[in-house]
Amino acid sequence: MEWVATGRSWVDREMCRWFELCGTHHMLFRSGWTWQKGADDIPPRLPDFTPFWESGDEDPDSWSHEEKVLREIPDYVFEHAPYVHLFSGEEFWPSDLGEHLAHISPRLNYTLIEGMEDDQNLTNLRELNAIEEGSHGRFVYLQSDDNVEEHPTWLTSNHNIPSAPGPRFGTDPDVAWPGGDNSENAGLRQDQQNVLLDHTHDFETQDVRSALPSDLTPSANGRCGGNSGFTCEGSNFGQCCSIHGWCGKTDLYCDTYCDPLHGSCNDLLHPPPAWPKPDLRKRGHEARAPQPPRHSFGKSNAPAVLVVVDKGNGTVDAFWFFFYSFNQGQKVLNIRFGNHVGDWEHTLVRFHHGKPHSVFFSEHDFGAAYAWHAVEKYLPNPDGSDTMLGTFSNATIAPVAMRPVLYSAFGSHAMYPTPGLHPYILPWGLLHDQTDRGPLWDPALNVKSFVYDPRNRTVRASTLNPRAPTGWFDYAGHWGDKYYPLSDPRQYRLAGQYHYVNGPTGPKFKRLGREEICQGRGVCRVRHWLGGDRAKRVRPVEQGGEDGGLPGGNSTDDAP
């Protein structure tokens, strides 16, 4: 190798020549590095996209008092902000819009828009709406510059995994998520960046353990989870860690209340035989497990987007939008359908006169709405630790727990109110979304907030981030690739469903002005309970509709 030949050590060069033991001096002693090209192999530092979010062209100092009032976000919106459990084995994590735009080139259908390949940002993105007269930007697509099947790092966004809490949350700052951050500046250490950029991902077989906390020790006393530093894997008390913080072997520990970050959990897709269950009241300490669940949670480098809409008559809608650079579709008969670049998911918390009334989740098949009292909620532990008190496991805190809990499905990122399997049906096959109590993301720690007027369809940056741009919000095109033609080797189709489908439109076109809390048109059913095993039947692509549409979804978008 060229770089070995430049070594200063004669012994090192000869060992390489005769015994193929190459580069030992280079690795052991920094003085052995004389090769000038070595620096070219060092991964560059990840760019900071914060300035993109401060590039708005408005002058906050010129706002009148009345204008500032229009831009204020009510305190109760943040008091009832959601927590999001990302899936423990997720492969495509939350993404930053600014980073996404750095890796795309706009196209009109499949034709590259000349002269605009590298010129898109959060401020001028709306200019693409005027590319074709009369279309209002509907047929513009933000085409990825990279082949998505070569799994570029920006697409997986694993540097945006929510970090473990820092010392102010009572956690050891040396125990962190890979790619996480314990600082207020949301910066990555150089050694973390090197690991992240060198790591290669396989979309189908990525090691799900890569997202788990590091430096965990098998539990010697039955404790696990939270900031204990213990895992149940390798423990004599059982391989499963319940959210109550104890190791065990029964369904109490391995099913719905299982913490996948600190032990093994039952494979819900292939459950064990249903043998008679023992009486848990006779299981000693297992039946007396403490109630408060334990979780590592925190801030993602990718900001969430909050859009507040005052509907009048005391009704205020708080839309929480979550963006991902890639959506991995689910499998039918072991064939994957529904992949697409760019993914917008959201939940809506509706308030009546400042009080939370109901919550909408962007599940498959146009989502579902639930009464406020029905959804699970978390309360931070008063002792300052990272233990979360949940209404599902501690009924006494229900009157004071204020923040709803969402579960993001593996790959598709669809939002659900419970962990577990969520079946839905496509023609000729059965699909499942899967959620669990993976990394807990607190979107309120990193959020860009806006207010929206549905009467004239205008958006304003809030007083919390007055210089945030809004041009990206008005962009009417798609946030990803147009579905690949069948001549593309990456594409296939079965029963009208494509392997790769169109990227979605943005938040402005998710019916922000809706009267009912439901996103789909028709009867809006607000459920007062959770649960139910009935599968949803996702509607097929309508006859005459655009090819490459999202199954059961895109027809709910407002017209540009």
Side-chain angles (χ1 to χ4, degrees), residues 49-83:
F49 296 99
T50 302
F52 287 14
W53 286 105
E54 300 175 355
S55 61
D57 50 14
E58 292 196 59
D59 179 14
D61 295 334
S62 66
W63 295 344
S64 65
H65 174 73
E66 292 76 13
E67 181 68 17
K68 291 179 180 179
V69 170
L70 289 175
R71 296 172 182 263
E72 290 179 351
I73 303 295
D75 290 340
Y76 56 77
V77 169
F78 288 99
E79 290 172 355
H80 300 285
Y83 289 113

Side-chain angles (χ1 to χ4, degrees), residues 105-114 139 141 143 482:
S105 295
R107 295 176 180 249
L108 183 60
N109 288 314
Y110 296 110
T111 303
L112 180 67
I113 300 174
E114 299 291 345
F139 302 113
Y141 294 81
Q143 178 88 21
K482 184 177 177 66

Side-chain angles (χ1 to χ4, degrees), residues 248-284:
K249 305 175 183 178
T250 66
D251 289 348
L252 180 65
Y253 303 86
C254 302
D255 275 349
T256 302
Y257 294 103
C258 184
D259 177 359
L261 307 181
H262 297 90
S264 300
C265 295
N266 284 345
D267 182 356
L268 299 180
L269 291 173
H270 305 90
W275 300 106
K277 298 180 180 180
D279 186 350
L280 294 179
R281 291 173 297 179
K282 301 178 182 179
R283 298 290 295 180

Side-chain angles (χ1 to χ4, degrees), residues 294-345:
R294 292 180 170 270
H295 293 279
S296 292
F297 67 100
K299 177 180 178 181
S300 172
N301 295 328
V305 173
L306 169 64
V307 181
V308 175
V309 186
D310 189 342
K311 301 293 179 65
N313 298 321
T315 299
V316 172
D317 285 349
F319 289 84
W320 291 86
F321 284 95
F322 313 106
F323 180 74
Y324 304 81
S325 282
F326 192 77
N327 176 103
Q328 181 171 252
Q330 304 299 341
K331 289 185 176 181
V332 181
L333 303 177
N334 208 35
I335 303 174
R336 194 177 297 281
F337 293 93
N339 287 351
H340 56 88
V341 177
D343 187 21
W344 282 102
E345 301 292 341

